[in-house]
Amino acid sequence: MARFDPSLVRDKRALIENLATRRDQVADARAAGRFDGTTPEVRPGLRSGHIPGSRNVPYEFVTDPVTRQLKSADELAQLFHDAGVALDRPVVTSCGSGVTACALAFALHLIGHPGAAVYDGSWSEWGIPGDTPIETGPAR
């Protein structure tokens, strides 16, 4: 039976606080061009870029491009490692709208990561012009 676990959801306030604490790593599931700001945003009015300090793990990389099956646990672990995500630390996943972030959270679950959280507001909330800082370019 499915049960809601609020510890696995983050909101904008939590992500703003995380900018100072860096307790959680943020893994962004959007395509590289949207993450680094070189491709225009698909939603009019949103800024380009990413949450400061986040890492880019495009969601389509969790599956094999030919078979569309999930990659092996070793391949998934390598994907996160190559993106700079430490699997021994807490992770929050994000994307454009909170949907494909769940693909990353699921991949993390499959490789034994305990409880990856999802930022459900994702870029559709963070990217609105206002008080949220952004970075452009590749992850640093």
Side-chain angles (χ1 to χ4, degrees):
M1 179 167 87
R3 281 184 290 262
F4 176 64
D5 183 349
S7 72
L8 298 180
V9 179
R10 299 289 187 279
D11 60 13
K12 181 177 158 184
R13 180 187 51 75
L15 270 285
I16 289 172
E17 290 172 4
N18 192 61
L19 293 173
T21 66
R22 300 288 184 184
R23 179 190 174 282
D24 294 325
Q25 302 168 94
V26 179
D28 189 321
R30 295 176 300 147
R34 288 181 65 202
F35 178 85
D36 63 26
T38 58
T39 300
E41 264 306 310
V42 296
R43 291 178 189 85
L46 292 184
R47 299 173 292 165
S48 294
H50 56 270
I51 297 169
S54 60
R55 299 287 182 238
N56 189 215
V57 184
Y59 81 94
E60 65 268 17
F61 292 173
V62 303
T63 58
D64 179 281
V66 175
T67 66
R68 305 311 261 170
Q69 299 287 321
L70 283 166
K71 290 183 176 176
S72 71
D74 288 342
E75 291 171 309
L76 292 172
Q78 189 65 50
L79 175 67
F80 286 98
H81 178 268
D82 290 349
V85 177
L87 297 177
D88 61 346
R89 293 191 47 226
V91 179
V92 173
T93 62
S94 181
C95 62
S97 63
V99 176
T100 57
C102 296
L104 296 188
F106 183 59
L108 287 161
H109 167 77
L110 290 176
I111 61 176
H113 189 279
V118 174
Y119 170 33
D120 65 342
S122 286
W123 198 253
S124 61
E125 179 177 61
W126 195 273
I128 296 171
D131 63 347
T132 52
I134 62 167
E135 291 180 341
T136 55
R140 294 181 219 155

